[in-house]
């Protein structure tokens, strides 16, 4: 298989166990999954079924106890920590339920931050961050700090920050969990638009029934296993 025909994300028999004291929880009990470049998929399933654990593994934020996680054909477990860091910084974006914005920075500065980490110069940083905030409909809010923004606006800043470096994939953990249903719908429309216009792959862990219903690829976890996948590639 040539690298270009490899799926963007792939897991092979992934197992993740958590030990606390004498007890052990198997969060993922053998997960095989393929996500193609440009897909938008949801990961659903009850609380504790392993959704966040799976996203952390796919995002190189955590390591499997058994099995392999591949990103663009590269085995994440075989990379050096430095390479994993670069991959997270350049090829991946993350969106979390609680936004995780830096409170003392403006919307623009929050979105610039990933570019700063990657050594992009100030003028280009500003330009690209402003462009991405414009794309999420916040051109008029560049100077606002997070505490001066609504929940939906904060989540849009977080989405702009996750996308500003044009990652191949964005991993979103309950991105609409703190939003009312109307705002959640608007955030979802935005993700679908960005998926179409930028070709970014989105994998979204969620309990949100409306979000699940309108996403074509639905992967359902229960007790650390995939129990349904509406769009599994053959
Ligand atoms: N750091 C940890 N230490 C110990 N156990 C953990 C840890 N993180 C998760 N777990 C356990 O692993 C299992 C899977 O957790 P995970 O957070 O992946 O579930 P989830 O599907 O994201 O749930 P939710 O919908 O509530 O966010 C759960 O049983 C959980 O208690
Ligand atoms: Mg979770």
């Amino acid at each position: 298989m040539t690298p270009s025909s490899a799926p963007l994300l792939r897991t092979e028999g992934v197992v993740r166990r958590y030990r606390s004291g004498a007890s052990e929880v198997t969060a993922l009990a053998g997960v095989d999954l393929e996500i193609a470049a440009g897909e938008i998929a949801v990961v659903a399933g009850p609380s504790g079924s392993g959704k966040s654990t799976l996203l952390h593994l796919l995002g190189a934020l955590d390591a499997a106890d058994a099995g392999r996680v591949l990103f663009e054909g590269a085995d994440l477990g075989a990379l050096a920590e430095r390479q994993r860091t670069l991959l997270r910084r350049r090829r991946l974006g993350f969106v979390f339920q609680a936004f995780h914005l830096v409170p003392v920075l403006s919307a623009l500065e929050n979105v610039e931050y990933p570019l700063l980490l990657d050594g992009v110069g100030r003028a280009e940083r500003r330009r690209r961050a402003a462009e991405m905030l414009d794309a999420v409909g916040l051109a008029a809010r560049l100077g606002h700090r997070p505490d001066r923004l609504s929940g939906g606006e904060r989540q849009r800043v977080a989405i702009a920050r996750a996308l500003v470096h044009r990652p191949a994939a964005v991993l979103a953990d309950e991105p609409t969990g703190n939003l009312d249903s109307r705002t959640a719908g608007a955030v979802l429309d935005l993700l679908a638009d960005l998926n179409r216009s930028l070709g970014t792959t989105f994998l979204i862990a969620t309990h949100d029934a409306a979000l699940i219903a309108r996403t074509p690829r639905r992967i359902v976890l229960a007790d650390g296993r995939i129990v349904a996948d509406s769009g599994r590639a053959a």
Side-chain angles (χ1 to χ4, degrees):
M1 189 186 274
T2 60
S4 61
S5 67
L8 183 69
L9 289 162
R10 178 181 169 91
T11 70
E12 297 171 352
V14 161
V15 174
R16 177 71 171 98
R17 298 184 198 93
Y18 291 109
R19 287 159 211 93
S20 46
S23 69
E24 185 175 270
V25 174
T26 302
L28 295 175
V31 170
D32 297 292
L33 180 65
E34 283 192 4
I35 306 285
E39 264 196 283
I40 181 161
V42 290
V43 182
S47 180
S49 58
K51 303 181 296 296
S52 296
T53 303
L54 179 61
L55 257 56
H56 290 155
L57 287 164
L58 290 169
L61 296 164
D62 185 20
D65 292 301
R68 301 201 302 163
V69 180
L70 298 108
F71 183 83
E72 297 179 321
D75 179 353
L76 295 184
L79 297 179
E81 187 50 44
R82 170 78 188 148
Q83 292 171 298
R84 275 194 294 271
T85 302
L86 285 178
L87 190 129
R88 280 194 296 269
R89 210 177 268 172
R90 295 185 175 156
R91 305 295 294 154
L92 290 160
F94 299 91
V95 180
F96 302 98
Q97 176 175 5
F99 319 136
H100 292 311
L101 299 175
V102 182
V104 298
L105 298 182
S106 68
L108 186 70
E109 290 162 343
N110 266 284
V111 176
E112 270 184 61
Y113 196 64
L115 301 176
L116 178 73
L117 287 179
D118 210 24
V120 177
R122 183 184 158 96
E124 192 186 340
R125 260 183 357 238
R126 296 253 132 151
R127 185 184 62 72
R128 287 168 61 182
E131 187 181 285
M132 194 50 75
L133 281 164
D134 186 31
V136 301
L138 290 177
R141 297 284 186 282
L142 304 188
H144 286 230
R145 286 191 187 169
D147 63 353
R148 298 286 180 87
L149 296 168
S150 73
E153 288 171 341
R154 282 180 214 174
Q155 193 55 299
R156 283 188 279 154
V157 174
I159 290 166
R161 182 186 54 185
L163 282 153
V164 71
H165 57 300
R166 297 295 169 98
V170 169
L171 304 170
D173 201 352
E174 299 279 1
T176 60
N178 273 330
L179 305 175
D180 64 73
S181 61
R182 189 165 158 199
T183 312
V187 165
L188 190 57
D189 288 341
L190 174 65
L191 296 183
D193 282 352
L194 293 165
N195 169 256
R196 274 191 297 273
S197 59
L198 303 176
T200 312
T201 304
F202 285 92
L203 191 62
I204 308 164
T206 187
H207 290 280
D208 184 333
L211 202 162
I212 294 165
R214 48 173 285 191
T215 306
R217 174 97 188 260
R218 293 188 282 267
I219 299 149
V220 184
L221 287 178
D223 294 329
R225 293 176 202 278
I226 295 178
V227 293
D229 184 347
S230 63
R232 187 192 286 276

